Amino acid sequence: MVSKITSEIKVSVTAVYDHFNSYPSENRYVFKYHIEIQNLGSKTVKLLSRRWMIYDLGFGFTEVEGAGVIGLTPTLESGESFSYFSNVILKSGVGNMEGSYLFESFGKPDLCVEIPKFNLVSEVLSN
């Protein structure tokens, strides 16, 4: 697990290789990741959007942007947390991801919160 705190918002990420849904012979390596977002501050915040930079070894970078996460734009009161699961597919089986969330902070300017970089290495290639 990796974690990072930006502007009193803590983002923690755990990633695992999904061997059941991966097909290395077809250059399809699936990784599941779990994100937990915690509001450590005293102000209510609302997640508006996300931006990911996905690196796939030998295939370069892909940028993904969009509203909310998994179709939601959660509001977090002070002390609350929100978690979700998602996945990413790599062609090489080795890479990493990092990014940011944009939050509306009631009573403050919008906050750009960093998602810490995490590595993606398939079990097939790590043996």
Side-chain angles (χ1 to χ4, degrees), residues 47-66:
L47 193 153
L48 301 175
S49 64
R50 72 195 180 289
R51 178 181 172 273
W52 286 106
M53 288 300 296
I54 304 164
Y55 177 69
D56 192 345
L57 183 68
F59 296 92
F61 287 92
T62 302
E63 184 174 1
V64 177
E65 293 184 86

Side-chain angles (χ1 to χ4, degrees), residues 43-123:
K43 302 284 186 191
T44 300
V45 296
K46 180 178 182 177
L47 193 153
L48 301 175
S49 64
R50 72 195 180 289
R51 178 181 172 273
W52 286 106
M53 288 300 296
I54 304 164
Y55 177 69
D56 192 345
L57 183 68
F59 296 92
F61 287 92
T62 302
E63 184 174 1
V64 177
E65 293 184 86
V69 292
I70 62 167
L72 302 172
T73 55
T75 298
L76 301 174
E77 302 286 337
S78 176
E80 287 187 333
S81 64
F82 173 79
S83 64
Y84 69 96
F85 289 90
S86 193
N87 63 59
V88 64
I89 300 170
L90 299 183
K91 294 178 184 177
S92 71
V94 177
N96 60 57
M97 289 177 65
E98 64 184 317
S100 61
Y101 295 121
L102 182 65
F103 281 87
E104 177 182 10
S105 177
F106 302 97
K108 288 185 177 179
D110 288 350
L111 302 170
C112 184
V113 173
E114 292 182 53
I115 304 168
K117 182 185 284 188
F118 55 97
N119 294 321
L120 305 166
V121 180
S122 70
E123 294 171 359

Side-chain angles (χ1 to χ4, degrees), residues 31-42:
F31 297 86
K32 293 188 226 177
Y33 57 90
H34 175 249
I35 305 267
E36 182 176 17
I37 303 167
Q38 297 174 285
N39 182 358
L40 304 176
S42 60

Side-chain angles (χ1 to χ4, degrees), residues 4-30:
K4 185 162 196 159
I5 298 172
T6 308
S7 300
E8 299 182 311
I9 305 293
K10 181 178 181 181
V11 178
S12 301
V13 184
T14 304
V16 296
Y17 176 61
D18 180 0
H19 62 84
F20 183 75
N21 291 302
S22 295
Y23 299 94
S25 63
E26 298 173 15
N27 295 325
R28 178 186 164 90
Y29 299 86
V30 179

